[in-house]
Amino acid sequence: MDVLPRPTSTTGKLTARATKYMDEFMNGLIQRNPGEPEFIQAVREVAESLVPYVLEHPKYEEAEILQRITEPDRIVSFRVCWEDDQGRIQVNRAWRVQFNNSIGPYKGGMRFHPSVNQGILKFLGFEQVFKNSLTGLPMGGAKGGSNFDPKGRSDREVMRFCHSLMTELHRHIGPDTDVPAGDIGVGSREISYMFGQYKRLENAFKGAMTGKGLSYGGSLVRKESTGYGCVLFARNMLQHKGEDLAGKTCTVSGSGNVSIYAAEKAIEIGAKVVTLSDSSGFVHDPDGVDAEKLEFVKDLKEIRRGRIAEYAERFPSATYHDKVRPWGVPCDIALPCATQNELNAEDARNLLKNGVQCVSEGANMPATLDAAHAFVEAGVLFGPGKAANAGGVAVSGLEQSQNALRLSWSREEVLRRLEGIMNNIHAKCVEHGTREDGSVHYVRGANIAGFVKVADVMAAYGIL
Ligand code: NDP
């Protein structure tokens, strides 16, 4: 039987009983989910924290919560046909993974990227269950997307694709059922096209999506919320250790929605951001990205949909490094904000060698399991995505509240609530993750805190 390496560092030594439970649990999972390495990786990371916890709390073991919480409620898979600008018929595949709605309607983004498959969406949906629970808001976990690649497509092509996708998806979503949002490849343009078609098909204006434009039910700060939240979480981790973010050097990966606003918040707090990247390479600006340079990046990425290499053409202080990731650049704080598994064990070794103190995951699972273990073992503050990037879905939850109230809160109000939620998430991680020496194991803290709320409700419902 194929047994993947045993958990070690994030949980410390497992007892013989926990090891046996973990092996049996993971082997069953691997057999039931062939060809889904990202999903298996995400479950393994969570199981490393939860298996010892579940064994210490027999009510969860008896209710088989781990086995149930790793099986999605349902997966909708469908064909999306649309016509390109040359009149050719294009066929894409799309999914909605409705993972768990124990504590509220399903909630999670839609991803449009050629790499999207069912396994990746299951990993993202699974993570979302824990993340949404951590926010303290009544939201279940889901994720969706398509292997459609918006890059290089005209606006009209993107529109036809989004309308066609929603023609099927609309029957599976709704404000009390499932509320999709954006993710990689799905920004305000795609949300507008999808929401417009939803509204038309339902003949009703309902808050069935978040990330909407401000003039049709969107929330202030939603666009900035994931990146801002990621930096606020890093600041919380540092402050808990008696350190400050101001004056620190940060590397940021990606140059999309999360990265841009993580950089913006870090700069606002007084840190120096020295890198940005995209899937082609990264730019290194030793002088730091300032507010003015960031405006250039916003225009480049949000409006012109250009490549980050142009940053180095525009600003002579910067150099562009083709096909390289930014993790070799010395920094105090690393903010991986692009995609899953973008920071591996070798990258972690480089960061550690250069003295990194804190890693806050803006993206979902950007660090491989080995890299995460390396950070935790080295005593680096390591904020896992399900805690550190929960600000985005938190403000999506606030958007739902505003829609239900038919009100729009001010920017200050939403920022205040976002900061409060990130502080609460940090406090929950501290509550469940503090070791005997007073240091905090944020992975364990986030996994257990996210789990307990959902698991207790699942148990209360009986055998479902
Ligand atoms: P965007 O599409 O806005 O930006 C993604 C960025 O990552 C781009 O710079 C993109 O470069 C880069 N990227 C994508 N794939 C790769 C790859 N394989 N290798 C290197 N770089 C890559 O997405 P978001 O900013 O919205 O999302 C980024 C991450 O944050 C994802 O993991 C997402 O799940 C997570 N997240 C997002 C939230 C949100 O509110 N948007 C909420 C919580 C988590 P290129 O342009 O070349 O493709």
Side-chain angles (χ1 to χ4, degrees):
M1 204 182 281
D2 176 24
V3 182
L4 292 178
R6 224 164 251 156
T8 49
S9 53
T10 59
T11 49
K13 289 271 177 284
L14 288 181
T15 62
R17 182 161 168 251
T19 302
K20 182 167 177 286
Y21 190 98
M22 180 83 182
D23 285 348
E24 282 174 10
F25 171 70
M26 286 309 301
N27 280 326
L29 189 99
I30 290 163
Q31 282 181 354
R32 287 193 302 278
N33 300 281
E36 298 184 346
E38 293 87 0
F39 177 57
I40 288 162
Q41 179 185 341
V43 174
R44 177 176 292 283
E45 187 252 355
V46 169
E48 288 180 1
S49 307
L50 290 185
V51 166
Y53 186 79
V54 164
L55 294 179
E56 282 163 21
H57 299 81
K59 62 176 180 175
Y60 299 127
E61 191 190 356
E62 282 155 22
E64 301 278 4
I65 297 290
L66 270 188
Q67 288 73 7
R68 288 157 61 185
I69 208 171
T70 48
E71 200 61 50
D73 289 348
R74 75 182 61 77
I75 300 176
V76 183
S77 165
F78 54 99
R79 179 178 70 233
V80 182
C81 295
W82 55 284
E83 199 175 328
D84 69 18
D85 285 348
Q86 284 70 46
R88 283 191 304 256
I89 294 169
Q90 299 283 342
V91 185
N92 285 97
R93 192 174 280 186
W95 296 263
R96 188 71 183 163
V97 179
Q98 295 180 330
F99 219 104
N100 190 306
N101 68 350
S102 296
I103 62 168
Y106 301 108
K107 181 93 198 82
M110 295 289 289
R111 177 177 290 192
F112 294 168
H113 193 270
S115 65
V116 166
N117 59 40
Q118 185 170 294
I120 287 181
L121 296 176
K122 279 171 69 179
F123 123 62
L124 290 163
F126 177 71
E127 288 279 300
Q128 199 80 43
V129 174
F130 292 78
K131 183 188 311 192
N132 293 3
S133 164
L134 278 171
T135 65
L137 301 174
M139 300 183 291
K143 200 79 187 190
S146 170
N147 60 357
F148 171 71
D149 188 357
K151 274 201 207 94
R153 292 292 178 189
S154 69
D155 283 352
R156 283 292 166 87
E157 289 180 315
V158 173
M159 179 194 78
R160 287 193 290 272
F161 171 79
C162 290
H163 285 175
S164 179
L165 178 138
M166 188 51 80
T167 302
E168 172 59 33
L169 188 64
H170 84 101
R171 69 187 92 246
H172 307 290
I173 64 172
D176 299 320
T177 311
D178 184 355
V179 185
D183 191 76
I184 290 178
V186 179
S188 55
R189 174 182 63 170
E190 291 76 14
I191 296 280
S192 303
Y193 289 147
M194 285 192 277
F195 184 71
Q197 180 75 339
Y198 175 82
K199 178 182 69 59
R200 177 192 189 201
L201 292 167
E202 294 282 314
N203 191 26
F205 196 106
K206 298 186 282 190
M209 295 194 79
T210 58
K212 301 187 292 297
L214 291 178
S215 42
Y216 61 94
S219 174
L220 286 162
V221 193
R222 172 60 188 93
K223 185 170 69 167
E224 297 93 327
S225 55
T226 309
Y228 279 17
C230 170
V231 172
L232 293 174
F233 195 80
R235 186 174 69 176
N236 275 330
M237 291 194 288
L238 287 159
Q239 282 176 346
H240 189 72
K241 218 184 152 189
E243 304 258 349
D244 201 358
L245 183 69
K248 298 277 193 304
T249 299
C250 297
T251 46
V252 177
S253 65
S255 48
N257 174 259
V258 179
S259 318
I260 286 174
Y261 294 98
E264 183 164 278
K265 184 51 92 180
I267 295 164
E268 186 191 306
I269 291 177
K272 186 182 193 185
V273 172
V274 292
T275 67
L276 289 167
S277 73
D278 58 24
S279 54
S280 308
F282 83 93
V283 287
H284 180 203
D285 187 345
D287 288 359
V289 180
D290 58 20
E292 189 197 331
K293 291 171 178 173
L294 202 60
E295 285 307 310
F296 170 84
V297 178
K298 286 184 194 174
D299 177 65
L300 175 72
K301 287 292 180 177
E302 294 178 348
I303 312 288
R304 293 193 282 125
R305 298 178 191 277
R307 309 304 297 160
I308 199 64
E310 286 182 48
Y311 180 101
E313 290 162 19
R314 172 74 175 73
F315 300 108
S317 55
T319 48
Y320 174 67
H321 305 262
D322 198 35
K323 297 191 181 69
V324 188
R325 299 190 285 220
W327 311 125
V329 174
C331 65
D332 306 304
I333 294 161
L335 303 174
C337 296
T339 193
Q340 67 271 3
N341 292 330
E342 54 157 318
L343 194 168
N344 63 22
E346 190 190 338
D347 298 321
R349 276 194 293 278
N350 278 332
L351 284 164
L352 289 169
K353 191 180 70 195
N354 288 325
V356 73
Q357 295 170 31
C358 172
V359 180
S360 189
E361 292 190 321
N364 285 309
M365 208 170 73
T368 62
L369 206 49
D370 286 348
H373 286 169
F375 291 132
V376 173
E377 264 168 30
V380 164
L381 299 170
F382 178 70
K386 61 174 75 66
N389 71 36
V393 75
V395 174
S396 273
L398 300 181
E399 182 175 330
Q400 288 177 265
S401 303
Q402 293 169 77
N403 291 167
L405 293 167
R406 298 187 189 279
L407 282 175
S408 295
W409 293 331
S410 68
R411 185 175 167 83
E412 292 68 33
E413 174 71 12
V414 182
L415 280 171
R416 188 183 63 74
R417 288 178 186 258
L418 170 64
E419 195 163 334
I421 290 170
M422 296 314 296
N423 291 346
N424 279 339
I425 295 174
H426 181 265
K428 285 184 203 167
C429 292
V430 170
E431 183 189 338
H432 290 278
T434 300
R435 302 180 181 98
E436 278 176 5
D437 66 0
S439 66
V440 183
H441 193 315
Y442 285 95
V443 176
R444 188 190 301 160
N447 285 336
I448 294 175
F451 172 78
V452 167
K453 182 176 175 190
V454 179
D456 285 344
V457 175
M458 286 176 75
Y461 288 145
I463 305 168
L464 291 180

